[in-house]
Amino acid sequence: DNGYKLPAPPDDPKTKVIIEDKKVTLYWAANAEYSVDPISGRKDFEGYKLYRTNPGSELSLNSDLTTQLKLIADFDSSHNRYFNNTGFGFIKLNTPVQFDGDTTKYWYKFDFINQLNGFQYVYSITAYDKGDSAQQLGSLESSILSNTQRIIVGTPANNNEDAEIGVYPNPYYGSAYWDGTGVKAEVLRKIYFFNLPSKCDI
């Protein structure tokens, strides 16, 4: 009857990741807030959810990201009858941020601090709506997998000739847990360098 139109969650938030020493910052745009549900014809955006895997989760035999991604934070519109009414004061910027070569305006920011250098994390941001009581539908959330960001935390390239170059883990132990076990051990062995210039020979 609806021409195969189905209820849909808000669009995936456009995301930008900045990596620093022991820190990952996620920026995202407000595009999801302008999504129009194809059934109700309304802008029914309600909030954002942030997810992250635990360090070392890729070493598990369970490779299903839908179970590895853990909810870290949930922010939703305030002053309405939906959900927690947290508001966006903690994450919304006063003015949007833009990056070189990117015309997107990023209105939101969340810092993941105390991340472990040399370890892999996966981050994801979703948007969800208010639901549709007329259609007896609960809140719909965008895909947790559609804008995942797979990050190895560490320092970016350093072109300062006086910067001290280092390596970790140091000392390196091939039997360490973070190098994996069993059939995955050989493909997971890693040694990381920091303060390398953007162009170099190792």
Side-chain angles (χ1 to χ4, degrees), residues 40-202:
S40 67
R42 295 184 294 110
K43 295 179 182 178
D44 59 354
F45 166 84
E46 175 62 18
Y48 298 105
K49 291 183 179 180
L50 281 71
Y51 298 86
R52 194 204 71 181
T53 60
N54 291 324
S57 63
E58 79 276 12
L59 304 178
S60 168
L61 293 177
N62 173 21
S63 59
D64 183 3
L65 268 181
T66 59
T67 59
Q68 291 182 352
L69 285 162
K70 308 300 181 184
L71 181 63
I72 300 298
D74 184 347
F75 302 96
D76 74 311
S77 304
S78 58
H79 309 301
N80 61 31
R81 59 186 177 86
Y82 300 98
F83 306 107
N84 298 316
N85 289 287
T86 61
F88 302 118
F90 184 77
I91 55 174
K92 190 160 188 179
L93 303 170
N94 292 327
T95 56
V97 173
Q98 289 184 274
F99 298 92
D100 290 343
D102 185 351
T103 59
T104 302
K105 294 181 178 180
Y106 296 95
W107 279 98
Y108 296 94
K109 174 186 177 184
F110 189 91
D111 292 321
F112 290 86
I113 60 174
N114 299 322
Q115 309 297 273
L116 299 176
N117 281 351
F119 281 81
Q120 174 182 280
Y121 298 82
V122 178
Y123 303 86
S124 181
I125 301 174
T126 65
Y128 60 94
D129 63 23
K130 296 177 173 65
D132 189 343
S133 57
Q135 299 289 334
Q136 298 183 350
L137 285 174
S139 175
L140 296 178
E141 181 180 359
S142 62
S143 171
I144 194 174
L145 300 178
S146 58
N147 71 345
T148 53
Q149 308 288 328
R150 191 177 300 270
I151 303 298
I152 295 176
V153 181
T155 56
N158 190 336
N159 292 311
N160 178 1
E161 293 182 357
D162 297 325
E164 181 181 358
I165 294 173
V167 60
Y168 53 86
N170 187 11
Y172 173 83
Y173 295 104
S175 59
Y177 168 74
W178 52 81
D179 268 322
T181 57
V183 296
K184 301 184 83 175
E186 291 303 323
V187 298
L188 291 170
R189 294 187 190 278
K190 302 180 183 75
I191 296 177
Y192 296 98
F193 296 86
F194 60 89
N195 281 341
L196 289 176
S198 53
K199 184 177 181 180
C200 61
D201 292 325
I202 300 176

